[in-house]
Amino acid sequence: MTARLVNRPVNHMLLTVTNTGSKTCDLYYYPAVDFADAQSVPPVIKDSQPQAVTTLVPGQSGYAGVALSGGTDGGGTNGRTAKSLSVYFFDRNNNSISPAATPALPSKGVYIDDSLRVTYWLSSAQEALTY
């Protein structure tokens, strides 16, 4: 799993998970992202829900967009810099699966605020970054 800041849209990060196994796997729901010191898991962007579960054959990747902050308009509150990230997956019954993935963040961290939200798992990086 990787977490990468993107230029557009501003204040967004792309999560990429690749099936490195030998069997097909399903990405249910959305990633539960836990930035250090967070009070709770951020909400999902409901409009990003795909019509079907994102399924990955071996070698294929799935994507989720993370809107980190309210943008340049100051739309969010309680801004802070996060230096670590844990990402939890869900099974088909919406139960969290442990252990979490811990993708590296930039050494300077990422700026987040209370407007933080995520997309569902999607099959296209472009689609994940449209929300």
Side-chain angles (χ1 to χ4, degrees), residues 54-92:
T54 299
T55 299
L56 305 180
V57 298
Q60 190 175 25
S61 295
Y63 307 90
V66 183
L68 298 169
S69 64
T72 56
D73 64 359
T77 57
N78 296 317
R80 61 211 175 271
T81 299
K83 296 200 174 192
S84 67
L85 171 63
S86 297
V87 180
Y88 293 88
F89 296 85
F90 293 102
D91 66 16
R92 76 178 64 217

Side-chain angles (χ1 to χ4, degrees), residues 6-97:
V6 295
N7 292 329
R8 296 208 185 275
V10 296
N11 305 325
H12 276 65
M13 182 171 62
L14 181 67
L15 298 178
T16 304
V17 63
T18 302
N19 180 354
T20 60
S22 59
K23 296 180 181 178
T24 298
C25 69
D26 292 322
L27 291 173
Y28 294 102
Y29 306 103
Y30 54 92
V33 297
D34 180 15
F35 288 93
D37 302 326
Q39 296 294 321
S40 63
V41 171
V44 67
I45 301 168
K46 294 190 187 306
D47 289 346
S48 70
Q49 185 171 9
Q51 292 192 5
V53 171
T54 299
T55 299
L56 305 180
V57 298
Q60 190 175 25
S61 295
Y63 307 90
V66 183
L68 298 169
S69 64
T72 56
D73 64 359
T77 57
N78 296 317
R80 61 211 175 271
T81 299
K83 296 200 174 192
S84 67
L85 171 63
S86 297
V87 180
Y88 293 88
F89 296 85
F90 293 102
D91 66 16
R92 76 178 64 217
N93 297 315
N94 205 13
N95 296 309
S96 180
I97 300 170

Side-chain angles (χ1 to χ4, degrees), residues 72-130:
T72 56
D73 64 359
T77 57
N78 296 317
R80 61 211 175 271
T81 299
K83 296 200 174 192
S84 67
L85 171 63
S86 297
V87 180
Y88 293 88
F89 296 85
F90 293 102
D91 66 16
R92 76 178 64 217
N93 297 315
N94 205 13
N95 296 309
S96 180
I97 300 170
S98 292
T102 54
L105 293 178
S107 59
K108 65 179 180 168
V110 294
Y111 182 80
I112 60 172
D113 66 27
D114 289 345
S115 64
L116 179 69
R117 59 199 190 287
V118 300
T119 68
Y120 282 85
W121 287 113
L122 300 163
S123 57
S124 154
Q126 182 178 354
E127 184 180 4
L129 293 173
T130 61

